Amino acid sequence: MLESAIMTSRLITGVRILDGTGREPFAGSVRIEGDRIAEVSPTPLAARPGEPAIDGRGATLMPGLVEPHAHLSFADVSSHDLTRLPVEEHVLATVRNARTMLDAGYTSALSAAAAKPRLDVVVKREIEAGRIPGPRLLANGPEITVTGGLGDTNLLHLPHHETPTFCWIVDGPDAMRRACRLLAREGVDLLKLNLSGDLGTSAWSSELTPMTAAEVEAAMEVARSRGLRVCAHCRSGDAVRMAVRHGVEIIYHANYCDEAALDALEAARGRVFVAPALGITYTLSQASGQWGVTPARAREFERELAASVESIARMRARGIRVLPGGDYGFPFSPHGTYARDLWLFVKVLGFSPMETLVAATRQGGEIMGLPGELGVVRPGALADLLLVDGDPLADIAILQDPSAIRMIMKNGNLHRAP
Ligand SMILES: [Zn+2]
């Protein structure tokens, strides 16, 4: 027994430990045994006979990053092109993106929707079996929307109706229950509901809430009975309030939060998470002339960004958990650039680098359903660790440079050896 523990242990010495809890970094050594952290010591630890040791001098050892709004199957193309991607190419793109995410130092991802029903589920199983590299993944199905809601791109005058694959259009509680049960049967961990509209196209507005309370409650009934967690696209204040009222745990965007929506989030702050996923809003607010964004459209994104900055400042003041990350997988937010969200939290939302990294690690572990066990460097926690050249607290942007991440470890296994 002792023999095998020694065989699978590994020592990392001479590092500056940023433990994810908000504690100031300290010098020390860390021992990993199997998939867990066994020891975190401020004094140097000596390697056991035969134990491999990594000399981490000059580097920061920190928990792996968590992406709380991942779209591994979004292939850096438009939603329209996503629907038309054949399943064979689509599986391969999803596998590539899983590797890209881990390569970027993101050792965990909570999916905010898959572009075909089983893409997340099959990729998650392959990752867990160790057959392909990728983050620890919670699998989602397609976004669930209603006629005229976000994702329903049909219009009566068009020559034919196209059924989008990245979202399912359901109307009424019965259709909602059926969709959710079907996804539960296929093995998802999560459901994604599009409660509000969006700014991305002109067919719907961010401030509308086309999904009804009865439809949300129908999804929650299935979620509760099947042990699934629910996340929701909620840009409007109405959508945020409806989501919280019905027990949705993960709220995306929350751009237009009125006082009542903030009160609801605050009252539920022990169980809800907000992930604003502002990267697209930020990029498109400055993208006039690119990707078909007109100057008028850029101004709308600018307005949405301003409203979001205000909403999030008020959430932060109320102690609501707000996590960086989100919506990478479009042409204007390609895979691999996830850590730009950390920079955005600091530069645009005014979070300190420490607050941002706690949100991306310890609170990331909480949103993954492993509080205290994931996203922290402490004895007993899962060994998902990064060795970063330099100090991310002094310059959060270094995490955007994959070559600055010397080592990536997931579950005690080295994905990138130093
Ligand atoms: Zn999304």
Side-chain angles (χ1 to χ4, degrees):
M1 185 65 207
L2 185 66
E3 194 77 11
S4 74
I6 290 169
M7 292 288 282
T8 60
S9 81
R10 188 183 298 276
L11 191 63
I12 305 174
T13 60
V15 284
R16 192 165 162 273
I17 301 169
L18 178 61
D19 72 3
T21 67
R23 176 180 172 187
E24 282 304 313
F26 54 97
S29 305
V30 170
R31 172 169 279 122
I32 291 107
E33 281 176 3
D35 63 349
R36 303 266 166 178
I37 297 167
E39 277 181 87
V40 179
S41 169
T43 53
L45 293 172
R48 295 165 179 161
E51 183 181 47
I54 294 168
D55 180 355
R57 263 175 297 182
T60 303
L61 185 79
M62 60 175 282
L65 296 162
V66 180
E67 168 56 64
H69 183 138
H71 291 303
L72 287 183
S73 56
F74 286 24
D76 296 346
V77 297
S78 70
S79 313
H80 176 79
D81 291 340
L82 207 50
T83 285
R84 294 176 172 210
L85 200 56
V87 70
E88 296 85 354
E89 280 86 342
H90 214 153
V91 172
L92 294 173
T94 308
V95 168
R96 281 197 302 273
N97 292 335
R99 174 183 210 122
T100 299
M101 191 170 276
L102 187 56
D103 283 344
Y106 282 77
T107 50
S108 296
L110 183 143
S111 176
K116 287 181 173 65
R118 298 185 66 252
L119 283 173
D120 274 356
V121 171
V122 296
V123 166
K124 174 189 164 155
R125 288 175 185 161
E126 287 297 293
I127 293 170
E128 287 185 351
R131 289 190 287 262
I132 61 169
R136 199 182 282 286
L137 180 64
L138 293 178
N140 214 323
E143 300 170 24
I144 303 174
T145 193
V146 295
T147 297
L150 168 60
D152 177 11
T153 48
N154 291 306
L155 288 168
L156 283 177
H157 69 276
L158 295 176
H160 65 275
H161 278 234
E162 185 164 78
T163 307
T165 63
F166 64 93
C167 74
W168 282 1
I169 302 163
V170 305
D171 290 294
D174 285 344
M176 178 64 87
R177 273 187 286 267
R178 178 173 162 69
C180 296
R181 283 177 178 144
L182 205 152
L183 292 172
R185 182 189 74 192
E186 297 300 321
V188 299
D189 302 301
L190 299 152
L191 299 169
K192 165 78 176 287
L193 307 177
N194 286 352
L195 270 63
S196 80
D198 200 75
L199 192 53
T201 75
S202 53
W204 47 71
S205 151
S206 290
E207 287 161 273
L208 293 178
T209 309
M211 192 170 280
T212 64
E215 287 160 339
V216 175
E217 187 49 34
M220 296 308 297
E221 275 176 48
V222 177
R224 283 189 286 265
S225 71
R226 297 300 302 258
L228 303 180
R229 295 165 70 200
V230 180
C231 51
H233 170 98
C234 302
R235 294 202 186 271
S236 66
D238 278 343
V240 171
R241 273 185 278 115
M242 194 192 287
V244 174
R245 190 166 63 241
H246 290 276
V248 171
E249 190 191 344
I250 299 150
I251 314 251
Y252 291 133
H253 310 303
N255 311 75
Y256 300 97
C257 275
D258 51 21
E259 204 57 28
L262 290 166
D263 287 346
L265 287 172
E266 187 179 352
R269 68 183 179 184
R271 65 171 172 86
V272 300
F273 300 87
V274 175
L278 273 180
I280 290 181
T281 311
Y282 176 79
T283 300
L284 296 187
S285 72
Q286 307 187 347
S288 182
Q290 278 175 281
W291 301 299
V293 178
T294 61
R297 179 63 79 192
R299 281 193 296 278
E300 288 177 42
F301 280 110
E302 219 172 285
R303 178 178 159 267
E304 188 147 289
L305 181 66
S308 315
V309 169
E310 199 196 319
S311 288
I312 292 159
R314 295 168 75 193
M315 287 177 212
R316 188 172 160 223
R318 288 168 178 242
I320 296 157
R321 289 175 289 190
V322 181
L323 275 58
D327 266 337
Y328 290 86
F330 291 99
F332 31 79
S333 59
H335 281 282
T337 61
Y338 322 105
R340 201 184 67 143
D341 247 75
L342 306 174
W343 171 88
L344 202 99
F345 260 51
V346 174
K347 293 299 173 191
V348 180
L349 298 179
F351 281 57
S352 71
M354 182 65 98
E355 271 180 288
T356 303
L357 290 174
V358 168
T361 57
R362 188 193 78 203
Q363 293 183 349
E366 292 167 8
I367 204 171
M368 290 297 292
L370 293 165
E373 246 190 297
L374 183 68
V376 287
V377 182
R378 66 163 190 78
L382 288 158
D384 283 17
L385 298 166
L386 308 179
L387 200 53
V388 180
D389 264 327
D391 179 7
L393 291 176
D395 180 11
I396 195 92
I398 62 173
L399 292 168
Q400 293 181 60
D401 173 11
S403 71
I405 305 178
R406 250 195 244 177
M407 177 201 86
I408 300 170
M409 178 183 282
K410 195 189 87 180
N411 258 340
N413 296 315
L414 283 173
H415 169 65
R416 180 181 297 159

